[in-house]
Amino acid sequence: MNRPLSPNSWQYRELNAKTPGLSHLSDALISLVEAGEPVVAGSADLQYSNGLNKFAEHYPDRYIQFGISEQNMVTAAAGLATTGLKPYVATFASFLGLLCCEQIRMDVAYCAQPVRLIGHHTGISLGFYGTSHHATEDIATMRAIADLTVVSPADGPQLAAAIKASADYPEPIYFRIGRGREPDVYPIDTPFTFGKAIEHMVGEEITIIACGMTVHPALEAARTLNAQGHSVGVIDMPTIKPLDRAAILAAAGRSKVLMSVEEHNVLGGLGSAIAEVLTDEGAGIRLVRHGIHDEYSLIAPPTHLYAHYRLDAAGIADVARCAMGIRKAA
């Protein structure tokens, strides 16, 4: 029988060295425990991929290794919550948001258990792992479940702030996070409020509304366009449910076009949520939904996929130019 790899293995050291953003999840949970919160954490054999190995080292009696049994992990977390504990469980978003949908719906949300579900490596960030590991439908699935909050942090510091803010949040939460390599948008300890958007720039020609890993490239794209004489705004929408309706309507009132950007299918995701608000309020403004256009994403390195789907800064800027009518769509 092969022995499991030691935590001191070069593979694990290299993984954590290359993905410094992984530390934010454990650091936030450790701070909650130190503050007296009854936090427990668990993962489905992916503690080195989501950074929970650091939490496990600090509090081994508060960490549960569930093995490759994601559905069981979610149901067990719901059970732990009934005892007064505050469970935070993590695995790949493709498994958590899709494979575990029934358990999240029935055991967590329907039973109103304050479980924190952390789906990492969202969208196309798993690259070569392919379609089975790409999570481009999880926003649509999770936001359709009643009484479930859906959060997509832009970076590690925002994730940490949201985790800390979740300590006393009454409803279950689905956190949609990346792979720990996202460039920082926010400094450490930036306050986080569920349901509130963050306005970075105000634009009269177009306002880009982004979430998750697309916030950083959206900001880069806006800076490029503004430097070229355009008026481009950017809003970070970290809470996809409940959505900050006021921020959307304010942007609709001052911009000629709105554009959503997400690492997700354009059907059912952030863009669809924004469209629902505009329709409900009768806001007569064009909305361009940018993301993956209802297809199974290709298999390639994540950086290549971001460029292919125009989710990098250059691609977002190009789509924005089309939306503003500066050039024809490709």
Side-chain angles (χ1 to χ4, degrees):
M1 175 182 287
N2 293 328
R3 295 179 62 188
L5 292 175
S6 164
N8 296 319
S9 163
W10 70 267
Q11 291 101 323
Y12 292 138
R13 292 200 306 273
E14 184 179 32
L15 177 65
N16 283 274
K18 287 185 176 180
T19 52
L22 293 178
S23 65
H24 290 287
L25 174 58
S26 276
D27 288 345
L29 293 178
I30 288 169
S31 70
L32 289 179
V33 173
E34 291 173 346
E37 296 289 345
V39 168
V40 293
S43 185
D45 202 27
L46 289 171
Q47 67 270 26
Y48 293 100
S49 293
N50 53 42
L52 282 176
N53 57 302
K54 185 175 181 180
F55 180 85
E57 291 164 7
H58 277 71
Y59 297 106
D61 58 333
R62 290 174 177 262
Y63 176 77
I64 303 171
Q65 170 54 269
F66 285 95
I68 306 175
S69 57
E70 295 85 1
Q71 293 168 317
N72 177 63
M73 178 179 72
V74 172
T75 297
L80 289 167
T82 67
T83 70
L85 294 172
K86 297 182 178 181
Y88 291 75
V89 293
T91 188
F92 288 147
S94 54
F95 301 157
L96 190 58
L98 302 174
L99 177 66
C100 301
C101 182
E102 179 182 354
Q103 287 72 31
I104 293 172
R105 178 177 181 261
M106 295 306 302
D107 298 337
V108 175
Y110 178 69
C111 295
Q113 296 303 324
V115 175
R116 282 63 173 110
L117 305 148
I118 302 157
H120 53 87
H121 288 77
T122 55
I124 50 182
S125 64
L126 272 170
F128 280 122
Y129 283 72
T131 302
S132 64
H133 285 61
H134 292 175
T136 56
E137 307 90 356
D138 59 321
I139 294 176
T141 303
M142 293 294 100
R143 78 180 189 94
I145 296 177
D147 301 324
L148 180 65
T149 294
V150 180
V151 178
S152 182
D155 60 8
Q158 191 176 59
L159 167 64
I163 291 291
K164 292 175 184 178
S166 73
D168 297 317
Y169 193 77
E171 296 182 352
I173 306 169
Y174 176 74
F175 287 99
R176 186 180 200 264
I177 69 175
R179 58 180 182 145
R181 300 193 186 192
E182 296 74 32
D184 284 352
V185 175
Y186 300 99
I188 298 294
D189 294 329
T190 298
F192 183 88
T193 303
F194 290 100
K196 288 295 182 181
I198 301 165
E199 186 175 79
H200 288 267
M201 305 176 189
V202 175
E204 295 180 358
E205 289 183 75
I206 188 170
T207 296
I208 300 171
I209 304 175
C211 67
M213 63 74 57
T214 64
V215 174
H216 188 272
L219 287 168
E220 287 191 326
R223 292 186 188 106
T224 297
L225 293 169
N226 286 332
Q228 294 170 354
H230 299 289
S231 179
V232 179
V234 178
I235 293 174
D236 173 15
M237 191 68 69
T239 309
I240 300 173
K241 180 187 175 186
L243 205 63
D244 190 338
R245 300 172 68 91
I248 293 169
L249 294 173
R254 62 173 173 260
S255 298
K256 296 177 181 178
V257 182
L258 297 184
M259 173 178 157
S260 62
V261 183
E262 58 192 313
E263 188 186 10
H264 187 274
N265 193 332
V266 295
L267 302 181
L270 173 64
S272 293
I274 294 169
E276 290 163 11
V277 173
L278 298 176
T279 302
D280 288 346
E281 301 297 331
I285 185 171
R286 183 181 175 215
L287 169 66
V288 176
R289 293 177 296 161
H290 180 42
I292 296 173
H293 286 264
D294 199 26
E295 63 181 89
Y296 293 107
S297 47
L298 301 175
I299 299 171
T303 51
H304 291 59
L305 291 176
Y306 297 145
H308 174 78
Y309 290 107
R310 298 191 291 178
L311 291 170
D312 58 358
I316 293 170
D318 198 41
V319 174
R321 289 188 188 96
C322 297
M324 290 187 289
I326 298 169
R327 60 172 298 254
K328 293 182 179 180

